[in-house]
Amino acid sequence: MAEDSPAGSSSPELSPEEEMNIIGATISAAEHQLTVGDTFCLVSRRWLEKWINYTNNKKISTNEGSSSDNQDLNSASTPKRPSSIDNSDLVNESASDNSTMGIELHDTLQENTHYTLLPEQTWNQFCAWYGGGPKLARKAISCGASETELTVEVYPLRLHLHLMPKADQCTIRISKRETIGALHKKACEIFQLNSEKVSIWDYFSHRKHALMNDMDKTLEDANIQMDQDILVEVSDDGGCTSDVQENGFTKNHTSSTLVEPLKTNYSIASKGALRNNNNSELPQIQSLASGIRESEDHKAPPVSVGVSTRGSFGGLTGLLNLGNTCYMNSAIQCLVHTPEFAMYFREDFHKEINWHNPLGMVGELALSFGELLRKLWAPGRTPFAPKQFKAKLARFAPQFSGYSQHDSQELLAFLLDGLHEDLNRVKHKPYFKSKDADGRPDEEVADEYWANHIARNDSIIVDVCQGQYKSTLVCPVCEKISVTFDPFMYLSLPLQSTTTRTMTVTVFSCDGSGVPASCTVTVPKQGRCRDLVQAVSSACGLKQNEKVFLAEIRNHLIHRFLEDPLMSLSSIKDDDHLSAYKIPKSMKNTKFLQLIHRRQELETGNARGTSGWKAYGTPLVFPVSCDATITRGDIQLIVHTMLSPMLKTDTSDLKNVNVEPESDCKENDGPDKPQLKLPLKLVDGNNACIDLSVGEERTVRLPSSSLSVLLFIDWSPKLLQKYETQYLEKLPEVFKTGPSKKARAEPLSLYTCLEAFLREEPLVPEDMWFCPQCKERRQASKKLDLWRLPEVLVIHLKRFSYSRSMKHKLETFVNFPIHDFDLTNYIANKNNSSRQVYDLYALTNHYGSMGSGHYTAHIKLIDENRWYNFDDNHISPINEDEVKTNAAYVLFYRRVRSD
């Protein structure tokens, strides 16, 4: 598959320095003229490194001193000029036999590991000097929300075309930025069809999801994914001849479950500078060369704390699975490869064992763990069976006895706490009474709490793993603020489910400011009612003095008010109907008038054909103060106000009706009274109906037994003609169900998880706080802030949730930093000016379901600067870009020291 031009045939051989300069110039020229459609070529990283070493080392030897020793050394290490370009390691020969696909790449290629992208001019220059190939050209396409950035599409969409009714198949490659029209044309050309008789369908899961008839829409906008099926349907004059099952059109923003293997394409900033995913400029070949030399040196970080972790001296010993003990093996390997623990337990730690701590295990857990650690760091790689350690574990923690699967995080929490108590340097713990802040400076209170904690808890575990956070509680009644500072061993971060759901809510204004309008918002699928309230509030343009009040509507009546902010959104089904009412924030001691609409309908089974009043439409809600005096005329005005946006403007007998809102609901004599009396009936405390169309000056006594007061309005045919009542009649479902693709899971940042953990939230009812000022238990709001961070920060991603009826695991992919996890801005202690930056060195993974899953660990041997996968007794090296998966469960970060 190599190209025909022989190496060096186009020009006389240049010096390495001249080649370097020419290549650098072509890259610089390309960077300044980047546009959509520019061609980039993949070149094998293996071949390019040979060329870089050749040109770089030639250059060094030319500028070295004239010492004979140096000359001998340089001449001995100078690489030869590379042979012709060889991209064969990038090409999937078996897949390239398909004539419609062209040359196919291996699906697992990684940028800057297997290949480098070069501008076409640079590729042409290399070919002129060296020849070879094959040429693997890719186009730059627009990307980003504003489409002002560019990316090189290394892996165009691979689509599987299914021709019906002939049942032919074909696989093609096409850019995701191509239009549906281009796909339609290409399909017709491949199958030699008359384009006028061809329709193409989104054929996800071999079902018709959507007719792709918007010829100008891009495939990306049509949500077409890698390896998706496309139905090419040919119809004759009588119509479609295909009997493929059709599920109808869906507008849901969903995606295929197949994941496009688009590894790490370059993206290009709007200024035109080619950038990679780390936002660093595409290096000139010279700087690329120095980067390669550094990677070959395998240099450790500037400051290395702990023991040597080179595999040749140990650290690559696996643990045999004794029967569902992968949860234990993964947690142990992460602790064993924590440098501070490796150093501590390989030295003489016996003098620190607290033999008499009643909270400890008389030193047996520490001794057993220390012995296990030494075996795992001993030279050699023979797997070890941790039977003795498992026996000790079962003795002191019976919940881990037997051979059932367990949670590795729960085991990790037990080990850290147990090791701390076994190694606690404090033999006699003093007693300290906790003091509230009571207005004292946070720094003073935090230091006091920490000093008291260290006076009782002082061990290698505290030295390495414990931090401190600030906890603020606010009473919702008396607004008492309580501030305490508590230690933590790890952070358990919630995963805001990235598999979102859309929910449609109809918003009503009680002040007559606008007609009802449907509002569709996106909320976490596992979210709570407060998430929906917040989303609707943002979407419907609330005034500063307004809030929304949610209700579920069934059979044209209010079934329930959604008042609990912690209520799970999973209790709201897709075929439910929700309404939201804009009400004033400031009103207190209120009742809600529920305006129920009724109209005459023939009663079922009535032989005489008589009619009765039946509920229809959507109820309206208006808050009224229990402390105000309210008359029948006031209620007439309230209802006129709510209905005023739907009043037809050409209604002659209502032109003079004043519908200005009266928020205080007091008596209102004079010209502000509406002239038309609406047929209103109020249900009193005796469940009797009061006619409000007469006696407008009479005071209404609202029922005291309920927070809601029912108010009926009977819509006669004549009254219906005066209002645009369709706004009340069509209440959409929460989500219009239908055949759809699987919801797209958006990437979730570890920073987002941390922000959710630190967000102020009300306490759950079963965990209410005793307010020292009210002397009662209150559902206070709680806010956590990080105050003091440990040397090793352990982060638990809360993938598992439990309830009485079910167990659930979130498969969410969390994008966690491997390097430079910067927590500086999350520290509430502003007197701490040092940067709080961490690097990842280990993590546990959980694959599969909760009951039958499997645990592994990814661990970095720090002095080797290399990652390994620890799968029980199987240990294998992995690339750093393989560390991040949606199986990540417990993350181990280590502080980066700048000194």
Side-chain angles (χ1 to χ4, degrees):
M1 299 179 65
E3 296 185 357
D4 295 335
S5 55
S9 64
S10 300
S11 62
E13 186 172 317
L14 302 174
S15 69
E17 185 176 6
E18 289 172 326
E19 288 190 13
M20 178 82 76
N21 292 336
I22 292 173
I23 292 300
T26 61
I27 292 177
S28 295
E31 284 181 352
H32 290 87
Q33 301 175 1
L34 292 172
T35 58
V36 172
D38 282 355
T39 300
F40 286 77
C41 298
L42 283 75
V43 63
S44 169
R45 187 72 185 182
R46 184 171 58 187
W47 182 89
L48 186 60
E49 287 184 3
K50 292 179 182 178
W51 180 83
I52 291 173
N53 290 334
Y54 161 68
T55 54
N56 187 66
N57 287 344
K58 273 283 189 179
K59 182 177 180 180
I60 292 174
S61 64
T62 304
N63 296 330
E64 288 282 2
S66 57
S67 142
S68 60
D69 291 340
N70 284 339
Q71 286 178 352
D72 292 342
L73 179 62
N74 290 326
S75 61
S77 61
T78 299
K80 295 181 180 179
R81 189 172 190 268
S83 57
S84 60
I85 301 170
D86 182 9
N87 279 341
S88 61
D89 58 324
L90 307 181
V91 176
N92 185 345
E93 297 284 356
S94 59
S96 298
D97 295 337
N98 189 335
S99 60
T100 60
M101 298 270 285
I103 300 175
E104 275 289 283
L105 304 178
H106 290 292
D107 281 344
T108 56
L109 298 182
Q110 301 285 334
E111 188 179 31
N112 292 329
T113 299
H114 301 105
Y115 68 86
T116 295
L117 286 167
L118 297 176
E120 188 174 33
Q121 303 93 309
T122 307
W123 167 265
N124 291 339
Q125 187 61 70
F126 273 128
C127 282
W129 292 337
Y130 293 93
K135 183 177 182 179
L136 305 173
R138 295 293 185 267
K139 297 291 185 180
I141 62 173
S142 59
C143 65
S146 61
E147 297 190 3
T148 57
E149 297 184 357
L150 302 179
T151 185
V152 179
E153 192 176 27
V154 175
Y155 288 93
L157 291 176
R158 179 171 51 214
L159 303 180
H160 307 292
L161 306 184
H162 300 263
L163 178 63
M164 293 294 176
K166 292 185 179 181
D168 286 347
Q169 295 184 15
C170 178
T171 301
I172 65 169
R173 286 278 189 181
I174 187 170
S175 171
K176 63 183 178 182
R177 297 301 297 169
E178 285 285 7
T179 62
I180 291 175
L183 175 60
H184 184 275
K185 180 179 179 181
K186 190 164 187 173
C188 292
E189 291 174 350
I190 291 173
F191 294 119
Q192 299 180 344
L193 303 173
N194 182 346
S195 61
E196 296 179 356
K197 296 184 179 182
V198 173
S199 300
I200 56 176
W201 292 78
D202 179 346
Y203 199 40
F204 178 79
S205 294
H206 286 206
R207 291 173 178 261
K208 287 184 180 179
H209 277 277
L211 177 64
M212 300 170 65
N213 56 2
D214 186 349
M215 296 300 175
D216 295 326
K217 179 182 284 188
T218 67
L219 299 178
E220 182 179 36
D221 293 337
N223 202 27
I224 302 301
Q225 302 293 315
M226 181 69 74
D227 282 316
Q228 194 157 320
D229 294 299
I230 301 294
L231 176 64
V232 181
E233 190 174 50
V234 183
S235 60
D236 56 21
D237 294 337
C240 178
T241 60
S242 171
D243 59 355
V244 177
Q245 180 180 357
E246 180 176 339
N247 287 322
F249 177 74
T250 178
K251 295 187 289 185
N252 305 340
H253 62 287
T254 52
S255 69
S256 167
T257 55
L258 294 172
V259 180
E260 176 180 351
L262 185 61
K263 301 303 177 185
T264 52
N265 292 341
Y266 280 118
S267 60
I268 304 169
S270 56
K271 293 182 179 179
L274 188 62
R275 298 177 181 272
N276 61 22
N277 283 345
N278 293 325
N279 295 325
S280 59
E281 292 190 5
L282 173 67
Q284 298 282 332
I285 296 297
Q286 293 93 327
S287 60
L288 192 60
S290 69
I292 290 174
R293 290 198 311 276
E294 289 178 6
S295 67
E296 289 173 346
D297 291 341
H298 297 300
K299 292 183 179 178
V303 176
S304 177
V305 180
V307 299
S308 169
T309 56
R310 292 191 178 275
S312 58
F313 298 105
L316 291 177
T317 300
L319 289 168
L320 292 173
N321 193 320
L322 307 178
N324 282 329
T325 56
C326 56
Y327 73 95
M328 180 182 75
N329 293 348
S330 62
I332 288 173
Q333 292 286 14
C334 290
L335 290 179
V336 162
H337 287 85
T338 299
E340 290 79 1
F341 294 158
M343 174 182 287
Y344 179 85
F345 284 100
R346 291 174 75 185
E347 295 176 349
D348 184 10
F349 64 92
H350 297 76
K351 60 181 179 296
E352 293 201 336
I353 292 179
N354 192 330
W355 304 100
H356 305 290
N357 186 355
L359 299 178
M361 290 139 221
V362 292
E364 290 193 35
L365 182 65
L367 289 170
S368 183
F369 179 80
E371 181 182 355
L372 178 59
L373 182 144
R374 292 175 184 236
K375 289 183 183 297
L376 294 180
W377 277 106
R381 298 191 180 185
T382 303
F384 176 72
K387 294 180 180 179
Q388 184 180 1
F389 183 82
K390 177 72 169 62
K392 295 289 185 184
L393 188 64
R395 176 183 173 187
F396 293 107
Q399 66 269 31
F400 298 114
S401 61
Y403 296 96
S404 299
Q405 182 68 278
H406 293 281
D407 189 331
S408 70
Q409 186 272 333
E410 292 179 359
L411 172 69
L412 180 68
F414 169 79
L415 288 179
L416 288 175
D417 187 61
L419 290 173
H420 158 66
E421 296 296 352
D422 265 5
L423 299 169
N424 195 348
R425 304 176 185 112
V426 179
K427 308 305 186 216
H428 304 284
K429 296 184 178 182
Y431 172 76
F432 298 97
K433 185 177 180 180
S434 298
K435 297 180 182 178
D436 199 47
D438 289 331
R440 292 183 292 161
D442 283 348
E443 293 76 14
E444 176 187 333
V445 180
D447 289 344
E448 177 185 285
Y449 269 82
W450 189 251
N452 292 347
H453 175 67
I454 294 300
R456 295 172 53 84
N457 303 276
D458 183 16
S459 70
I460 180 64
I461 306 299
V462 174
D463 297 342
V464 175
C465 292
Q466 283 203 350
Q468 185 183 34
Y469 59 74
K470 173 185 175 183
S471 175
T472 305
L473 290 168
V474 180
C475 178
V477 178
C478 69
E479 298 185 348
K480 161 72 176 175
I481 299 176
S482 172
V483 177
T484 57
F485 292 84
D486 303 309
F488 67 86
M489 192 86 76
Y490 51 86
L491 300 178
S492 287
L493 304 189
L495 300 191
Q496 299 289 332
S497 175
T498 58
T499 304
T500 57
R501 68 183 288 198
T502 57
M503 302 184 73
T504 299
V505 180
T506 303
V507 182
F508 297 87
S509 299
C510 64
D511 62 356
S513 59
V515 296
S518 293
C519 173
T520 300
V521 296
T522 301
V523 293
K525 193 171 184 179
Q526 303 296 327
R528 298 185 182 272
C529 187
R530 61 170 176 250
D531 299 315
L532 180 58
V533 170
Q534 183 178 0
V536 172
S537 301
S538 301
C540 70
L542 280 184
K543 298 175 185 176
Q544 191 172 5
N545 62 340
E546 288 181 327
K547 63 180 180 180
V548 294
F549 200 51
L550 293 177
E552 180 185 342
I553 309 300
R554 289 189 188 177
N555 300 320
H556 311 292
L557 301 174
I558 292 179
H559 174 68
R560 59 172 174 166
F561 288 111
L562 308 182
E563 300 177 275
D564 182 5
L566 298 177
M567 185 193 79
S568 173
L569 293 181
S570 62
S571 66
I572 302 174
K573 308 305 180 186
D574 285 346
D575 57 355
D576 289 343
H577 299 81
L578 298 184
S579 59
Y581 302 99
K582 296 181 181 180
I583 62 174
K585 270 185 182 178
S586 56
M587 293 188 67
K588 296 182 178 179
N589 192 21
T590 58
K591 290 183 180 294
F592 290 99
L593 289 180
Q594 293 186 30
L595 182 64
I596 310 298
H597 309 280
R598 300 193 301 186
R599 64 180 175 186
Q600 284 184 314
E601 294 181 3
L602 289 176
E603 294 184 351
T604 305
N606 192 321
R608 298 182 179 180
T610 57
S611 61
W613 292 101
K614 302 291 184 182
Y616 97 107
T618 306
L620 301 180
V621 171
F622 192 95
V624 294
S625 173
C626 296
D627 301 325
T629 301
I630 185 170
T631 66
R632 297 182 181 184
D634 292 331
I635 296 179
Q636 284 278 346
L637 181 60
I638 289 171
V639 176
H640 270 291
T641 298
M642 289 192 289
L643 297 178
S644 61
M646 294 171 278
L647 183 67
K648 293 180 179 179
T649 55
D650 59 348
T651 304
S652 58
D653 57 347
L654 291 178
K655 285 184 178 178
N656 297 322
V657 173
N658 189 304
V659 291
E660 289 295 318
E662 280 293 315
S663 59
D664 57 1
C665 300
K666 293 180 180 178
E667 288 190 22
N668 187 18
D669 297 316
D672 288 339
K673 291 286 186 180
Q675 296 178 3
L676 179 70
K677 298 299 184 290
L678 294 171
L680 303 178
K681 293 181 175 63
L682 184 139
V683 180
D684 65 9
N686 298 321
N687 214 25
C689 288
I690 302 174
D691 186 356
L692 302 185
S693 61
V694 295
E696 63 182 40
E697 303 299 334
R698 297 179 64 178
T699 301
V700 175
R701 294 184 61 183
L702 300 178
S704 59
S705 59
S706 174
L707 293 177
S708 296
V709 180
L710 295 184
L711 180 65
F712 295 110
I713 177 170
D714 294 333
W715 291 89
S716 64
K718 183 177 179 180
L719 186 60
L720 285 171
Q721 295 177 2
K722 302 179 187 298
Y723 287 88
E724 301 283 357
T725 55
Q726 71 270 16
Y727 291 109
L728 301 173
E729 297 169 0
K730 298 179 180 179
L731 189 66
E733 295 178 348
V734 167
F735 181 76
K736 185 65 177 177
T737 57
S740 62
K741 304 175 195 176
K742 191 173 180 180
R744 172 180 288 133
E746 301 293 338
L748 180 65
S749 165
L750 185 60
Y751 292 105
T752 304
C753 299
L754 179 61
E755 289 162 7
F757 174 74
L758 299 177
R759 188 180 301 135
E760 182 176 356
E761 292 184 344
L763 295 173
V764 294
E766 56 268 23
D767 191 26
M768 293 202 296
W769 170 63
F770 184 81
C771 175
Q773 193 161 292
C774 295
K775 306 298 182 183
E776 289 188 31
R777 293 198 172 275
R778 302 293 189 190
Q779 191 175 7
S781 63
K782 185 175 183 179
K783 174 75 171 70
L784 294 178
D785 291 289
L786 299 179
W787 188 266
R788 189 189 313 264
L789 292 180
E791 292 299 308
V792 169
L793 179 63
V794 181
I795 295 179
H796 164 224
L797 303 178
K798 296 173 70 173
R799 293 197 176 276
F800 303 129
S801 61
Y802 306 86
S803 66
R804 292 181 180 178
S805 58
M806 63 178 295
K807 298 177 181 179
H808 180 69
K809 179 190 175 185
L810 289 174
E811 299 284 356
T812 307
F813 173 78
V814 178
N815 187 14
F816 51 89
I818 296 178
H819 304 285
D820 299 328
F821 182 35
D822 193 347
L823 297 176
T824 306
N825 294 332
Y826 294 91
I827 302 300
N829 183 6
K830 300 308 176 185
N831 288 345
N832 186 350
S833 58
S834 60
R835 293 186 68 221
Q836 306 290 319
V837 181
Y838 288 80
D839 281 350
L840 186 76
Y841 72 91
L843 69 153
T844 64
N845 303 295
H846 181 270
Y847 300 92
S849 61
M850 293 185 63
S852 59
H854 181 61
Y855 286 94
T856 67
H858 290 159
I859 294 171
K860 182 179 183 180
L861 297 193
I862 294 176
D863 284 353
E864 267 194 27
N865 194 29
R866 190 170 190 180
W867 284 90
Y868 289 88
N869 178 47
F870 287 72
D871 185 355
D872 290 331
N873 58 308
H874 302 288
I875 300 175
S876 57
I878 58 173
N879 294 324
E880 186 172 272
D881 49 18
E882 297 178 74
V883 170
K884 293 185 185 182
T885 70
N886 65 346
Y889 185 41
V890 181
L891 311 175
F892 290 76
Y893 281 95
R894 192 159 171 260
R895 189 191 300 276
V896 176
R897 297 211 173 267
S898 56
D899 49 290

